[in-house]
Every structure is written in C-alpha cells, then in structure tokens.
Amino acid sequence: MSKHATGTRTGSEQALAVYLELRARPTAVFDDVADGLGLSATDRQRCHAELTALGLIEPAPEPPEAQAQPTTPEPSEAQPRPTPPEPPEGQAVVEPDVALVRLLQRERERLEHRLAETSRAQTTLATLAGPFLRAGTAPRSAVDVEVVADPVRVRQELAALGETVRASVHSMHTGSVRREDMAAELARDRALSERGVRVHAMYSRRISSVPDMAQHLEERAALGVEIRLSPVVPMNMVLADENFALLPTDPHDPDSASLLARGPGLVRSYLALYAYCWQAAGRYGDEEKPERGGDGLSEQQRAALRMLASGIKDEQIAKNLGVSLRTVSRLLSEVMHELGAASRFEAGVKAARLGLLDGEGDA
C-alpha cells in the first residue's frame, strides 16, 4: 500500500490496517508494519496506544533464557559490569474475542470488589447497631425503635415526614416506585424544594431502563432532587435529618415489616452507610448511553460485517456475496450507521462487544 493511500485513512482505520497486517504476519514487528504502511511517528504512536487500550496487542513474552538468568558473582572493581540484555522486541497479537473476554473479566472483578465493599459496610453497620440500641438510657442519644407492619401506617409516617423535616431527606430504592405512589412522591419533592430541604435519592441502575421510572427520575431531577444510580443498592431506606430512619426488618424481603427508628444515636450510623453508598454511585445523567445493538442489520449486512472483522478485503467480500464493490461499500456504511461507529475499525470492535460476530463468518 502506498504512503499516499495510507495518509487518507482516519486514525481508527490506520489502527485496523496495522492490526490486520500483524494478524496476517505473526512474526512481524509493529514498527516494521508501521513503516510498510507509511505511518508517521505520531500516527504509529496513536495506533499503538489504541490497539493496546483495546487489548488487541500486548508485549511479547520473554524467551525462556531471559526469564531465568543464572546468578553470577558480583564483578570486581577491575572487571567491567556486564551490559544487561535488551528487552525483547515485538508484540503478541490478541484475537478480538479474547480481548473482549478479558475486558468482561476485568469488569466482573470490579463489580465483585464493589459488592464485597458493600457487604463489609453492612457488617460494620450491624456491629455498630448493638451498642447504639443499648444506649437508650443516655439522655442526648436516646433511641426510639418501633417495628411497623401496617403499610398504611408507613405511608402516613412518610407523609408526615414531608411536613416535619428541616434540612435533608436521603432515600435509597432497590426497585421501581409503584405507579400509584409517583404523584405523591413528586408532590413531596415540590413541597420540600419550596422549603429549601435538600433531597437525595439513590436507585438501582437497572430501573433507569424502565420507561415509567425513567420519566419519574427525570421529573424528580427537574424539581431539584439529587439522584444517583448504583449497580448495587443494599436495601430500601428513608432518612430525615439525623432523627428519622425507615428501613425493612429484612433487606432481602421487600414485603417484610418496617423498622422505624428515631434519635441521632442510631440514625447517624445509617447515614454513614448511606454516605458510603452515595459516594460509590454514579450521578444521574452522567451514565454512558447504551450502545446501539445492531438489531436492524440484515443478514447480508451481518455477513459483510463478519467478513470485515475477519480481515477479508472488500474485493473478496464482494465476490463472496455476489455483489459489486460499490454495493459492499454501501453495506459497510449502513453497518457503521446502525452501530453508531465512526470507522470500520470501531464497527468491528462494537460488533465483537455486542456478540454480533459469534456466528460463523462467510469464507
């Protein structure tokens, strides 16, 4: 390929060209491939960084003789120190599906780490609750705890809360709000906002994909409610100031009786748990937009996409599909549009991430 032809490529297309060449020539070195494609120093650095970030290339493993060097005595002052061997050159090319599996593994480990942290926080809360509950005789940290099994009584307490709270309300929800309760919640938000009360609300991230809840979150945010979404919400909870807490007696059973606690001695410990979960959650509106899923692709477009991801050139794709080069170009442009990709390389990466390459490709 001429330097002039390469120069017309975008950054991602250059990275794809380098990657396909490295796959076709397993013994080739990155710099040699970059030279052959006529890439500038800036372009090759960008391509190398992009392929490394995607996990499609990684440093080549050291040869066995470099991994276990024999121990040699320290050289005397009269003897010059031996020059350490140069690090091995080259890189290992990683298949797209392997890179995707590794990415998913890292994300799973990150989520498991967050779950473990939440579990530790709940254990700490349970440990602290005992001393606070026994501190009922202390004048300044009196605690009043009541188990409420009547749902009507729970709604009455929440309604009264909207009139008595002075500074802040914090709530977390493991699931969706019932449709019949949404209007009442918005009315409370409006009244609290008019009185200058700060309102925080935390939800499970999955509920933002429910149409009714997506609209409800948008309406709450418009009233000034600060909302965050988290992959893990440990329980339903409502806290007000430092004197009111409403939470289930069994966090794993949404129909269990509620625990109503009053007094800063216990409520502050729940506020500490809430603050921890709040910091770990993401701001509402800052979450990434979901990728387009490629559901609108035809079988012909999917076949062209699989062949593109396999490194097959446009001419061979046209021959395999029995169409013209112009039709292939149109098909791939439609694929990029459907996937929301700016380049063919990005389309291939998104297709792998979405599982569109799982079927057998056309030869």
Side-chain angles (χ1 to χ4, degrees):
M1 180 180 295
S2 67
K3 294 185 178 181
H4 176 74
T6 304
T8 62
R9 295 177 182 270
T10 65
S12 292
E13 289 174 337
Q14 290 173 341
L16 175 59
V18 172
Y19 178 69
L20 295 178
E21 190 68 17
L22 289 172
R23 287 187 64 188
R25 298 163 52 198
T27 60
V29 178
F30 182 91
D31 285 339
D32 292 341
V33 172
D35 290 339
L37 294 174
L39 299 183
S40 66
T42 300
D43 288 338
R44 71 179 60 194
Q45 290 177 0
R46 182 175 60 248
C47 290
H48 192 279
E50 184 173 354
L51 293 175
T52 301
L54 291 170
L56 294 173
I57 62 172
E58 58 187 16
E62 295 184 353
E65 59 272 13
Q67 295 177 1
Q69 293 291 337
T71 303
T72 56
E74 287 292 325
S76 64
E77 295 183 357
Q79 294 176 330
R81 290 181 175 271
T83 302
E86 291 292 329
E89 297 183 353
Q91 68 292 307
V93 180
V94 180
E95 293 297 320
D97 55 345
V98 174
L100 176 60
V101 168
R102 291 176 178 175
L103 173 62
L104 292 175
Q105 178 64 27
R106 288 195 297 271
E107 288 300 308
R108 182 164 52 249
E109 291 173 354
R110 184 179 64 83
L111 179 56
E112 289 174 350
H113 176 69
R114 179 169 290 184
L115 285 170
E117 290 181 338
T118 302
S119 177
R120 285 194 293 271
Q122 287 185 268
T123 301
T124 301
L125 176 62
T127 303
L128 292 174
F132 277 118
L133 287 171
R134 291 192 297 270
T137 57
R140 300 191 61 184
S141 60
V143 174
D144 179 20
V145 180
E146 180 183 1
V147 175
V148 180
D150 183 5
V152 176
R153 168 79 188 286
V154 171
R155 287 195 288 272
Q156 290 174 345
E157 291 289 345
L158 291 175
L161 184 66
E163 301 174 359
T164 59
V165 64
R166 299 186 304 276
S168 63
V169 175
H170 301 77
S171 64
M172 61 170 63
H173 311 268
T174 58
S176 300
V177 177
R178 295 189 308 174
R179 185 176 300 177
E180 56 268 29
D181 293 336
M182 290 181 177
E185 189 168 55
L186 291 174
R188 283 197 300 271
D189 290 339
R190 190 174 292 106
L192 293 173
S193 176
E194 292 173 353
R195 291 168 46 204
V197 176
R198 186 175 72 255
V199 181
H200 287 179
M202 185 178 355
Y203 294 89
S204 173
R205 183 175 296 163
R206 59 185 170 80
I207 64 97
S208 62
S209 61
V210 179
D212 285 348
M213 280 303 301
Q215 177 67 24
H216 185 60
L217 295 184
E218 185 176 343
E219 292 175 348
R220 294 200 74 187
L223 291 173
V225 177
E226 298 181 49
I227 299 174
R228 292 198 178 185
L229 304 177
S230 174
V232 180
V233 177
M235 68 183 76
N236 292 315
M237 181 188 298
V238 178
L239 308 173
D241 297 330
E242 292 186 351
N243 197 51
F244 177 95
L246 182 69
L247 59 154
T249 53
D250 183 358
H252 303 292
D253 181 7
D255 296 325
S256 65
S258 297
L259 186 69
L260 178 60
R262 289 187 173 88
L266 180 58
V267 175
R268 284 173 183 166
S269 64
Y270 290 121
L271 281 170
L273 172 61
Y274 190 93
Y276 171 82
C277 295
W278 181 261
Q279 291 300 322
R283 294 179 183 275
Y284 170 71
D286 290 349
E287 62 273 11
E288 294 182 358
K289 295 181 180 179
E291 291 186 338
R292 298 165 70 170
D295 295 334
L297 294 178
S298 66
E299 286 302 319
Q300 189 181 48
Q301 290 168 336
R302 290 174 183 269
L305 174 61
R306 288 194 292 267
M307 286 187 279
L308 171 69
S310 299
I312 299 177
K313 297 184 180 299
D314 288 8
E315 292 82 357
Q316 186 62 39
I317 296 177
K319 182 178 179 181
N320 292 345
L321 295 178
V323 298
S324 66
L325 272 174
R326 187 172 182 178
T327 299
V328 170
S329 178
R330 176 179 57 79
L331 287 173
L332 295 178
S333 295
E334 292 169 350
V335 167
M336 291 165 55
H337 176 74
E338 176 65 24
L339 296 178
S343 67
R344 291 185 175 190
F345 180 74
E346 185 181 357
V349 172
K350 285 192 172 184
R353 188 180 300 136
L354 294 168
L356 300 178
L357 306 180
D358 294 344
E360 293 183 1
D362 298 86

